[in-house]
Amino acid sequence: MLMEITGSLSVIGYGLAALGPGIGVAMIFAAVINGTARQPEARSAMMGTAIFGFAIVEALAILGFVLALIK
């Protein structure tokens, strides 16, 4: 019996590619929490850098989503 895959495999690819940004965001904020625990007075400087890193990581995730929808 021959089975065919129907639908778009790009959706599966995007699902796998979404793991990278998820792990990246987790690592960014884990580092900020760790740094704040070690040096509380540097929290504002670390949060600014963390928000910038978060924006870049999420922009890459959105770009991957858009590319997954393009046929």
Side-chain angles (χ1 to χ4, degrees):
M1 177 189 288
L2 181 63
M3 299 183 79
E4 290 185 30
I5 297 176
T6 58
S8 178
L9 290 177
S10 63
V11 175
I12 295 172
Y14 175 69
L16 293 173
L19 293 174
I23 293 170
V25 168
M27 290 177 65
I28 288 170
F29 286 106
V32 170
I33 291 169
N34 191 16
T36 302
R38 290 174 182 253
Q39 196 171 7
E41 64 272 6
R43 180 181 182 270
S44 61
M46 287 187 283
M47 281 303 290
T49 306
I51 296 297
F52 182 70
F54 172 75
I56 290 174
V57 168
E58 286 300 315
L60 291 175
I62 292 169
L63 180 64
F65 179 68
V66 170
L67 291 176
L69 294 178
I70 295 174
K71 290 186 179 186

